[in-house]
């Protein structure tokens, strides 16, 4: 009787723990082959200006379940979504602020950045698109019930950005149980930054961007749930090596690879059994590999 009670308690506890842990991709084709998650890179950035709300809209219109973005910080401490450390390539900053070269994100206030056109460089049809704040971006992704692969970009330029990003995620409801379990991954090329996120909020699923040597992979298991390499550096044996390890939540580590924009490459990496494919063209990848 006592043993049965202990077993029942243990089962209940395990169930409760499983509810709190980040989940693994579950899609599978009818023949049982796992289907990778498809992530719209910087939004559907082949079709709309990258990292704008329009790119999230386009990703949703194409049925993309996941969106990736890049988070940086303004001079006055606002978190904004932009890839480069400079505003030059993807906005009209040179025209609006001609004397402010090299137009670094960290040297502009949020109000100044809000004046910039982040759409015309891509297509005149997108004139007036803005650089979104992280808060605005989260609202839009939430609006579509999408999932977010959030990259801390250039974190070495922004001391403390990990805690600030987690604070914004928390304020916007993105650290509740369902988001943490199914809808959020925080990744970075900086192992230090990924480790900091894990230390600050151990429940959050994390990814390291890069292709560490296989011999070094065990050192990532303490703080990274994923190893996310460029597709050019990928092989079936590398994917298997990562997936053969267990991450900080006791689950097998995953591989999301980038940036795959054509059907042949999508089929190639899917054949390696990656867990996710990060792409500017989510429609092309979906048509190639399903999902
Ligand atoms: O999500 C992976 C990918 O975004 C990493 O490269 O330069 O596009 O941020 P990058
Ligand atoms: Ca990125």
């Amino acid at each position: 009787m006592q043993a049965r009670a202990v077993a029942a308690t243990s089962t209940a506890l395990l169930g409760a723990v499983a509810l709190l842990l980040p989940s693994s991709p579950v899609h599978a084709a009818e023949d049982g082959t796992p289907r990778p998650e498809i992530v719209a890179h910087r939004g559907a950035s082949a079709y709309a200006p990258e990292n704008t709300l329009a790119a999230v809209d386009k990703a949703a219109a194409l049925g993309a379940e996941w969106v990736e973005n890049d988070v940086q910080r303004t001079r006055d401490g606002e978190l904004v979504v932009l890839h480069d450390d400079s505003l030059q390539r993807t906005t009209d900053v040179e025209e609006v602020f001609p004397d402010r070269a090299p137009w670094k994100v960290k040297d502009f206030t949020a109000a100044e950045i809000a004046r910039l056109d982040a759409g015309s460089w891509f297509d005149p049809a997108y004139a007036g698109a803005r650089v979104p704040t992280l808060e605005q971006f989260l609202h839009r992704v939430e609006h579509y019930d999408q999932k977010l692969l959030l990259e801390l970009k250039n974190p070495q330029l922004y001391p403390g950005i990990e805690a600030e990003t987690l604070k914004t995620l928390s304020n916007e409801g993105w650290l509740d149980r369902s988001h943490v379990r199914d809808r959020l991954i925080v990744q970075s090329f900086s192992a230090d930054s990924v480790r900091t996120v894990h230390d600050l909020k151990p429940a959050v699923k994390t990814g390291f961007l890069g292709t560490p040597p296989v011999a070094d992979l065990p050192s990532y298991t303490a703080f990274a749930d994923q190893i996310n390499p460029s597709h050019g550096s990928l092989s079936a044996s590398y994917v298997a090596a990562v997936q053969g390890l267990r991450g900080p939540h006791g689950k097998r580590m995953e591989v999301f690879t980038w940036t795959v924009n054509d059907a042949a490459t999508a089929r190639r990496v899917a054949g390696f059994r990656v867990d996710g494919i990060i792409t500017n063209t989510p429609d092309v990848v979906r048509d190639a590999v399903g999902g």
Side-chain angles (χ1 to χ4, degrees), residues 16-54:
V17 169
L19 272 176
L20 291 168
L21 293 178
S23 64
S24 298
V26 292
H27 301 298
E30 280 174 14
D31 64 1
T33 309
R35 276 195 188 126
E37 302 282 351
I38 298 173
V39 184
H41 181 237
R42 311 180 195 171
S45 57
Y47 310 114
E50 65 183 55
N51 279 324
T52 62
L53 300 183

Side-chain angles (χ1 to χ4, degrees), residues 43 58 77 89 232:
K58 189 65 188 176
R89 179 177 63 87

